[in-house]
Amino acid sequence: MQQGQALSRPEKMVRLASWLVALVFAGLLVSLGELVIRDLFYLPEGGPPQQEVFRQHIGLDPLKRQQEQLQRQTEALRAEQEKLATTRGQLERGYQTQRQGLDNWLASRAVTADAGQSAEVLKRTRALDALQAQILQWQKREDQASAGLLALAQQQQALQGRVGALEQQAGRQYQQAYSRFELKVFALRLAVILPLLLLGVWLFLRYRSHRYWFFVYGFGLFSLFAFFVELLPYLPNFGGYVRLLVGIALTVFAGMRMIQAFQRYAEKKRVELKQSQSERASHVAYPKALQSYQKRSCPSCDHQYNIAGDDADYCIHCGLQLFRVCACGARNFAFFPFCKKCGGAVARPAALPDHPASKPE
Ligand SMILES: [Zn+2]
Ligand SMILES: [Zn+2]
């Protein structure tokens, strides 16, 4: 990944292809992880609790049936009351008509008062009385229906109160069960994803420069994505804490590792600088030489050597010989194997007598 310019063309292609493989590998794992995380929702108790089950369990169904029955009774009674009212109305109109008839008849007969007619008057009056009695009876039945409706309404109201209380209770029980279920699912998801994240970190620390490094990188990317992104939509209220705490722990860990790595590097350099010039020069590998030349840094102490000018032959920081003149007269970087003018082998500083300034004690 570093020293990109020091790579040959095929090496660059392989590196690019490796990164592609790493990304594709990570992408496939992410899709797989998504499926697994989603399906873990149905693992505990075969799925989330059902609200209907709690309503049945608490005994709401018989009360609901009772409510329906009361409703039907009320409707029937109301229909009957209407029918009674209609009939009474008809009877009252009949009474009015007959009464009017009698009054008219009496008025026309008043002048010629006839004893034989009193029987007819009596008969008609009795008929009217009977009709009146009938009307009263219907009125009474109507009143009874009204009383019945009132009683039914009171029963319905009482029942509604009980149903409401039970519904609230069932709702609370359902909420509690759902919270417990959510917690279980989260614990399960965490139990799957967190070890993957730790495995990804361990693999990265241990095998990041392995021949198959791109699988390690792919897996690492996947584990980070799975933990910090895929788990996100399914976190319960407190889930954010878990995510943040793990994130903080990882950041602290990474920071400490970085400082430790730098300390190891500084210690290595300190020991290295105590060695003779030839020993130090013999440690400089070809890729390192290419990288140093391109960056104009000393391959031993990693400082810029050209601050003293591009014609500097020795590192002004550690005294290492950096350039030497070939037999053909060309000036070559001392760590390249061949002369740029004649192609002859460049003698490494190792083969030279040590420069007097190469032992900074
Ligand atoms: Zn140096
Ligand atoms: Zn030469």
Side-chain angles (χ1 to χ4, degrees):
M1 290 118 271
Q2 65 274 52
Q3 355 139 348
Q5 286 177 308
L7 292 173
S8 68
R9 207 175 160 75
E11 281 171 332
K12 277 183 193 165
M13 296 304 281
V14 167
R15 171 137 297 164
L16 190 68
S18 300
W19 267 113
L20 270 176
V21 170
L23 289 178
V24 170
F25 185 57
L28 291 173
L29 283 177
V30 161
S31 305
L32 182 67
E34 206 173 324
L35 285 183
V36 171
I37 287 181
R38 201 194 58 199
D39 288 346
L40 282 176
F41 187 64
Y42 296 97
L43 196 61
E45 301 157 14
Q50 299 296 317
Q51 203 157 11
E52 204 44 49
V53 175
F54 285 88
R55 293 168 64 92
Q56 278 174 8
H57 183 73
I58 213 158
L60 264 170
D61 283 357
L63 290 184
K64 283 274 172 196
R65 276 198 294 277
Q66 221 174 322
Q67 261 184 330
E68 279 163 23
Q69 203 189 345
L70 279 178
Q71 188 58 36
R72 275 199 301 276
Q73 282 178 354
T74 307
E75 273 160 24
L77 202 55
R78 200 167 282 147
E80 200 195 322
Q81 196 193 26
E82 266 170 38
K83 229 162 65 189
L84 286 171
T86 312
T87 314
R88 184 172 56 85
Q90 282 168 354
L91 286 173
E92 272 172 353
R93 280 195 297 282
Y95 176 84
Q96 292 298 335
T97 317
Q98 285 191 29
R99 178 81 202 246
Q100 194 66 46
L102 179 62
D103 285 351
N104 291 346
W105 188 75
L106 281 175
S108 64
R109 296 294 185 272
V111 266
T112 54
D114 184 353
Q117 284 175 356
S118 53
E120 177 69 17
V121 173
L122 204 61
K123 196 182 128 202
R124 283 197 175 199
T125 315
R126 280 209 183 115
L128 273 176
D129 284 347
L131 207 51
Q132 179 85 38
Q134 225 181 337
I135 288 170
L136 270 176
Q137 207 187 337
W138 284 106
Q139 179 69 57
K140 219 157 119 189
R141 282 175 69 183
E142 240 183 287
D143 290 347
Q144 276 172 359
S146 291
L149 275 177
L150 193 66
L152 277 176
Q154 279 165 352
Q155 273 186 52
Q156 268 179 324
Q157 212 176 1
L159 197 59
Q160 184 57 46
R162 275 172 67 199
V163 166
L166 281 183
E167 267 176 345
Q168 253 183 1
Q169 205 180 332
R172 271 199 305 276
Q173 284 180 0
Y174 167 74
Q175 281 302 332
Q176 283 168 0
Y178 196 86
S179 300
R180 277 198 302 276
F181 173 79
E182 236 183 358
L183 191 62
K184 258 186 226 171
V185 171
F186 178 64
L188 208 60
R189 281 174 174 152
L190 200 63
V192 171
I193 300 296
L194 189 59
L196 286 182
L197 180 66
L198 296 179
L199 179 66
V201 171
W202 181 77
L203 282 175
F204 180 77
L205 291 178
R206 190 128 188 204
Y207 293 111
R208 67 176 175 280
S209 32
H210 189 268
R211 195 183 346 167
Y212 298 115
W213 61 268
F214 40 91
F215 287 126
V216 174
Y217 272 66
F219 188 83
L221 284 176
F222 150 69
S223 63
L224 282 174
F225 189 82
F227 188 84
F228 289 102
V229 179
E230 283 187 331
L231 210 52
L232 186 68
Y234 310 113
L235 292 180
N237 296 335
F238 62 89
Y241 286 110
V242 176
R243 207 163 54 104
L244 281 178
L245 288 177
V246 171
I248 290 168
L250 277 185
T251 312
V252 169
F253 180 70
M256 280 164 62
R257 289 288 299 204
M258 192 183 71
I259 294 302
Q260 281 166 6
F262 179 75
Q263 278 171 344
R264 275 199 303 275
Y265 163 83
E267 177 61 21
K268 206 178 108 201
K269 283 289 157 199
R270 203 177 61 78
V271 171
E272 226 176 77
L273 288 180
K274 280 185 180 165
Q275 296 171 344
S276 71
Q277 178 161 153
S278 52
E279 266 177 311
R280 281 196 282 148
S282 68
H283 288 148
V284 179
Y286 181 56
K288 172 77 177 169
L290 282 172
Q291 197 191 352
S292 295
Y293 183 70
Q294 275 161 348
K295 290 184 178 165
R296 297 178 189 284
S297 65
C298 166
S300 184
C301 71
D302 286 335
H303 283 100
Q304 290 295 119
Y305 61 69
N306 63 335
I307 54 168
D310 279 337
D311 59 343
D313 286 336
Y314 290 88
C315 173
I316 56 158
H317 307 284
C318 69
L320 187 70
Q321 185 177 17
L322 300 171
F323 289 91
R324 65 182 302 268
V325 180
C326 177
C328 72
R331 182 170 169 271
N332 291 300
F333 193 54
F335 306 93
F336 287 163
F338 301 108
C339 170
K340 65 185 173 193
K341 279 276 161 64
C342 70
V346 171
R348 287 209 140 204
L352 299 169
D354 273 1
H355 188 270
S358 70
K359 282 176 188 164
E361 294 297 321

